């Protein structure tokens, strides 16, 4: 593909992403997979170039553009090489007209900046749109970090955790034997630190209340060395169904899965009430801590959606609290840097739930934020997370 044709393809892809973000449709990654599957004539270099152009536009504008062309035209104003690709050829975009509409605004939505934790200053905000590295968790059920790192010559050993490695962003490892054999899982450093805060070794009964596709569930199983009972629940069947083959591949044998009906979670978990040594709530959230990896989700977030997720988080904390045995622990986590989802959520929980206290997470990274820990890309090199460890007295 000629450079102009690559730009035209990027415009078409971003238009799909804009519409999907507006209408609550498929994610940008899913749309990109479909887009390239329908264009098999595009080689690997073409696909990489188109994706780089598309994601460059997504990162540039925090406010959802009206059209992809308006975004790229605005970018072309300060990028002569990009402007030259608007050449009007058969496979390229039409030439830029005088007075043509242009997208405006910075990289982050203005309305959200005052809602961040006090730790999220301008440098932190800028880092939210950097490219993220690829972190790996070595599966302790199958291998040591030394054994696995020998197969990844570019891997950096992350010293804060026993099983963490880091590869350059964009490294393709889906078909690597270490992945296929279950020796490693792709998992951000922050996610691994949340599991570290669970201190699950020796726990008898553990509930992962919002397990999703099971990334943290698998890390918990490894930390527990397949001992005890580990129940993974979610209300999304498609996501939960991904856990079983992943568990088989990883050698995790102590995992039970349970699909819950929305609104009936407490009823369906009634036999666990007061009987769990540990409950992990990796709650639905704004996703503001993962904008490095999913910048298009900025276009899906508004004040109404934020209120909905904050309300849902409070409900999940109520459910999880009922499941914990006296003396047991609840670990609450969100991939968000917004105060109402982190520090504020835990403060409200402790105020309304007597007989609970904030406990030490045992994690050496991050910064204290209220009764929890905040991880940020700029300060910690991880995705943005808030997490807290709470004990039932």
């Amino acid at each position: 593909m000629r450079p102009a044709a690559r730009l035209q393809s990027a415009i078409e892809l971003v238009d799909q992403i804009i519409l999907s973000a507006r209408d609550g449709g498929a994610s940008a990654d899913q749309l990109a997979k479909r887009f390239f599957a329908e264009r098999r004539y595009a080689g690997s270099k073409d696909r990489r170039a188109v994706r780089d152009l598309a994601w460059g536009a997504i990162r540039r504008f925090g406010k959802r553009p009206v059209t992809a062309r308006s975004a790229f035209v605005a970018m072309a104003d300060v990028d002569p090489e990009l402007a030259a690709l608007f050449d009007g050829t058969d496979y390229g975009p039409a030439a830029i007209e005088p007075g043509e509409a242009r997208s405006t605004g910075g990289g982050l939505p203005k309305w959200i900046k005052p809602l961040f934790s006090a730790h999220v200053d301008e440098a932190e905000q800028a880092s939210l749109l950097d490219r993220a590295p690829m972190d790996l968790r070595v599966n302790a059920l199958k291998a040591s970090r030394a054994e696995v790192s020998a197969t990844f010559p570019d891997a950096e050993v992350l010293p804060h955790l026993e099983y963490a490695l880091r590869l350059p962003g964009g490294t393709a490892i889906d078909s690597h034997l270490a992945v296929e054999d279950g020796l490693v899982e792709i998992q951000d450093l922050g996610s691994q630190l949340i599991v570290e805060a669970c201190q699950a070794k020796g726990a008898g009964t553990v509930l992962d209340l919002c397990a999703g596709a099971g990334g943290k569930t698998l890390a918990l199983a490894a930390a527990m060395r397949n001992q005890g009972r580990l129940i993974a629940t979610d209300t999304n069947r498609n996501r939960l169904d991904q856990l079983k083959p992943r568990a088989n591949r990883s050698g995790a044998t102590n995992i039970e899965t349970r699909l819950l009906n929305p609104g009936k979670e407490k009823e369906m978990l009634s036999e666990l009430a007061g009987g769990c040594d540990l409950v992990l709530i990796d709650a639905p959230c704004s996703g503001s801590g993962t904008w490095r990896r999913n910048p298009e989700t900025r276009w899906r977030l508004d004040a109404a959606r934020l209120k909905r997720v904050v309300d849902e988080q409070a409900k999940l904390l109520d459910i999880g609290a009922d499941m914990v045995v006296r003396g047991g622990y609840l670990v609450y986590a969100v991939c968000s840097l917004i105060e109402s989802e982190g520090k504020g959520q835990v403060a409200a929980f402790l105020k309304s739930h007597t007989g609970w206290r904030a406990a030490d997470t045992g994690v050496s990274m991050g910064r204290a934020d209220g009764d929890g820990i905040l991880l940020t890309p700029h300060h910690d090199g991880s995705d943005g997370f808030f997490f807290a460890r709470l004990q039932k007295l």
Side-chain angles (χ1 to χ4, degrees), residues 226-241:
N226 272 335
Q227 301 299 308
R229 184 183 183 194
L230 176 53
I231 305 111
T233 70
D234 206 276
T235 57
N236 186 315
R237 182 186 297 275
N238 290 335
R239 295 185 68 195
L240 196 59
D241 283 348

Side-chain angles (χ1 to χ4, degrees), residues 303-323:
R305 183 166 187 265
L306 178 58
K307 183 181 185 305
R308 287 196 298 271
V309 297
V310 169
D311 290 345
E312 179 67 13
Q313 291 158 3
K315 291 177 184 177
L316 289 166
L317 278 164
D318 285 340
I319 294 167
D322 283 351
M323 303 301 136

